[in-house]
Amino acid sequence: MQYKVLIVEDEEFIRAGLQECLEMEDYQVAVAGDGDEALQKADEFLPHLILLDVMMPKKNGFDVCRILREKYPTLVIIMLTAKGEEASKVRGLNIGADDYITKPFSTLELLARVNAFFRKIATQMDSLAFSNEIAEFSGIMLDFKKYEATKNETTLDLNVREFQILNLFCKRRGEVISREDLIQLIDSSSNSRTIDNYIVKLRQKIEDDPENPRLILSIRGMGYKLDA
């Protein structure tokens, strides 16, 4: 898997330098120069990780972080803050950032942080206990060994959490899975709203009509089930 990184930085020379370094590490990179462009690129590019400057035109990094954390719960967000802005670091972490790095920063340190997060993601994927290597339903093919997914031979861009959820659904196909079970699977610090957001995003990727799902069904007061 080639991981995708979005760089959001209004200073062009910093942005270009980071892009060059990350591409040399074989990451797929997109860039944005302001907050509005960052939100647009995030929706189009669907990055695994975002390097997000705090002080930017149009929308600041805090606003962008808050919006993206709500839309993409598994997105890794590393905020770039000015030296000595302790309050900015705390605020960023409180609204959903995973980490921060202080300007001016060493490129080697930033790469080490990025690489560490992707090692963690890879470890999570390797530790998934799949009952079968391949599952197939309703034109959807899931290869749990290669972490690849297609629908009618078109590639689906699923993240780690989505593979975890589909794995559980496939193991217990037709059974109702409670939100509590999904919380324990994903992250014990999650809540029902977080789980519902995961399901919404997953439906958008696998359902023909996400507003009227036929595969992942909501069972009122109980949870969800895979009806395939």
Side-chain angles (χ1 to χ4, degrees):
M1 175 186 293
Q2 186 179 32
Y3 292 114
K4 296 191 287 187
V5 179
L6 174 60
I7 301 168
V8 184
E9 168 62 62
D10 63 326
E11 296 187 49
E12 185 176 357
F13 74 96
I14 296 178
R15 191 168 65 237
L18 290 175
Q19 181 175 7
E20 182 179 1
C21 290
L22 290 165
E23 287 178 342
M24 289 178 65
E25 293 286 307
D26 201 32
Y27 294 124
Q28 188 176 346
V29 181
V31 298
D34 60 61
D36 286 345
E37 187 182 12
L39 296 175
Q40 179 184 346
K41 285 288 181 68
D43 289 337
E44 295 171 351
F45 185 58
L46 296 175
H48 299 96
L49 182 148
I50 179 170
L51 298 174
L52 180 60
D53 190 23
V54 170
M55 301 304 296
M56 291 186 300
K58 297 186 179 179
K59 279 187 176 63
N60 64 44
F62 298 123
D63 291 337
V64 172
C65 179
R66 187 180 299 107
I67 293 168
L68 291 181
R69 177 54 70 222
E70 180 73 19
K71 293 180 70 175
Y72 304 108
T74 63
L75 174 65
V76 176
I77 301 175
I78 300 178
M79 302 200 75
L80 309 178
T81 65
K83 186 175 182 179
E85 291 186 354
E86 192 70 26
S88 294
K89 298 172 187 177
V90 173
R91 183 180 175 189
L93 293 172
N94 283 339
I95 62 174
D98 296 284
D99 198 2
Y100 64 85
I101 189 166
T102 302
K103 295 181 179 180
F105 50 79
S106 158
T107 302
L108 291 177
E109 180 187 359
L110 184 139
L111 285 175
R113 300 272 189 99
V114 171
N115 291 337
F117 274 108
F118 285 131
R119 281 197 303 272
K120 182 177 179 181
I121 290 173
T123 300
Q124 289 175 331
M125 295 181 73
D126 289 341
S127 67
L128 298 180
F130 295 111
S131 55
N132 296 295
E133 291 184 357
I134 293 177
E136 185 175 5
F137 57 90
S138 302
I140 295 171
M141 176 75 75
L142 301 169
D143 188 327
F144 294 125
K145 186 175 181 179
K146 297 180 180 177
Y147 309 109
E148 295 175 350
T150 60
K151 178 178 179 181
N152 299 325
E153 300 185 356
T154 299
T155 299
L156 297 175
D157 188 10
L158 301 181
N159 61 37
V160 177
R161 300 303 193 204
E162 289 160 348
F163 268 110
Q164 287 180 305
I165 292 170
L166 285 174
N167 175 46
L168 183 59
F169 278 136
C170 288
K171 284 180 177 178
R172 297 170 55 182
R173 189 176 303 196
E175 297 181 27
V176 178
I177 300 175
S178 68
R179 288 179 175 82
E180 289 72 23
D181 285 349
L182 290 167
I183 288 171
Q184 292 304 313
L185 171 75
I186 293 170
D187 184 352
S188 59
S189 65
S190 299
N191 54 42
S192 293
R193 184 179 180 186
T194 303
I195 296 302
D196 291 342
N197 285 336
Y198 282 128
I199 297 298
V200 167
K201 295 301 178 185
L202 191 51
R203 282 173 170 163
Q204 290 173 349
K205 294 181 181 182
I206 73 170
E207 296 276 3
D208 292 332
D209 181 2
E211 298 300 320
N212 298 285
R214 298 172 62 88
L215 299 177
I216 301 177
L217 305 182
S218 299
I219 309 301
R220 186 181 297 274
M222 298 178 66
Y224 299 97
K225 75 172 182 178
L226 179 64
D227 186 24

